[in-house]
Amino acid sequence: RRQRRRLFPEHGCRRGRPAHRHDRARSGLRAGQHGAFGWRRSGYSHVAQTISELGEFGAPDSHYVGFGVFLPVGLATAALAALHWRIRVARGAAPAAALAACIAVGYTVAAFFPCDPGAPLDGTTRTGIHNLGGAVEYLGGALSLFAIAAMRQPERRIYLAAAFITFATAIGVSAQEVAHVRGLIQRFGEVSLFASLALVTRSVTAAVAVGEQ
């Protein structure tokens, strides 16, 4: 109950700060966990290998990565999506909810449906579902960012750049020509998504605070 109050504070939206603080802390924790599991796994390359491969089927830390990292991130971003939906009257809140929901789908699906070793494009049904979740995260995230850019003129260029980076990520992680750096490409996309989510969360909650004064 105490955690629920933090995610949905009664007066948090008026100040325009708590949701942003939680989002920034969550991004830092997620990055630290990814780095820690990569360090634990011998031969893992953050440049060549995807984040999904940390929790690939049969990996030593698969269970811990799936349910200790991916699932908490998925649930946290789902809660943030619900928060944005509650305050969707603010300009840009509905697309922000869609952005958070797309990230939530990607991470939650990854938790329950780990990819095959090597994160191939083709493989088992489990890998197909995993890749579908990734498509929702990156393609859906890119579309959400385009929608946010159309509604938020002051930061329009930032969201447009993030949208193109995210869309390029969806292509990059699937292209064999750049397979040797697809892990790096994916991490650029992840930074783009989470940084954009933090920025729009701050903007929306600030707009709500101004509207309620």
Side-chain angles (χ1 to χ4, degrees):
R1 294 180 180 177
R2 186 174 302 170
Q3 183 179 6
R4 182 178 179 85
R5 285 197 296 269
R6 290 176 181 174
L7 287 172
F8 299 98
E10 187 67 25
H11 301 290
C13 294
R14 297 180 183 177
R15 297 191 189 103
R17 294 179 181 177
H20 175 61
R21 283 205 304 267
H22 282 291
D23 190 67
R24 184 171 53 188
R26 181 165 52 251
S27 298
L29 176 61
R30 180 182 60 85
Q33 289 170 325
H34 286 174
F37 283 111
W39 176 78
R40 280 167 52 87
R41 183 172 173 179
S42 177
Y44 181 83
S45 170
H46 290 280
V47 174
Q49 292 175 277
T50 65
I51 296 170
S52 295
E53 289 175 77
L54 289 170
E56 67 185 17
F57 187 77
D61 291 320
S62 177
H63 182 80
Y64 299 106
V65 173
F67 296 101
V69 181
F70 292 165
L71 185 58
V73 172
L75 294 177
T77 47
L80 190 59
L83 174 62
H84 277 293
W85 188 250
R86 285 184 62 187
I87 59 175
R88 62 188 180 278
V89 291
R91 189 181 182 197
L99 175 61
C102 288
I103 297 173
V105 168
Y107 274 85
T108 304
V109 169
F112 290 100
F113 298 93
C115 64
D116 290 340
L121 295 179
D122 298 321
T124 61
T125 301
R126 182 187 61 249
T127 288
I129 297 173
H130 178 95
N131 291 340
L132 181 61
V136 170
E137 179 181 357
Y138 294 120
L139 295 179
L143 290 175
S144 300
L145 286 168
F146 280 122
I148 293 171
M151 299 179 69
R152 306 198 69 82
Q153 294 302 319
E155 305 94 2
R156 182 173 181 272
R157 292 183 179 181
I158 296 175
Y159 292 118
L160 279 177
F164 281 115
I165 291 173
T166 304
F167 184 74
T169 298
I171 298 174
V173 295
S174 306
Q176 293 299 320
E177 293 79 6
V178 291
H180 59 291
V181 290
R182 69 173 182 164
L184 184 62
I185 292 172
Q186 185 188 34
R187 284 162 175 81
F188 273 117
E190 291 290 315
V191 170
S192 176
L193 284 170
F194 279 90
S196 298
L197 182 59
L199 179 60
V200 73
T201 297
R202 181 175 184 177
S203 298
V204 168
T205 51
V208 171
V210 171
E212 292 185 354
Q213 287 179 353

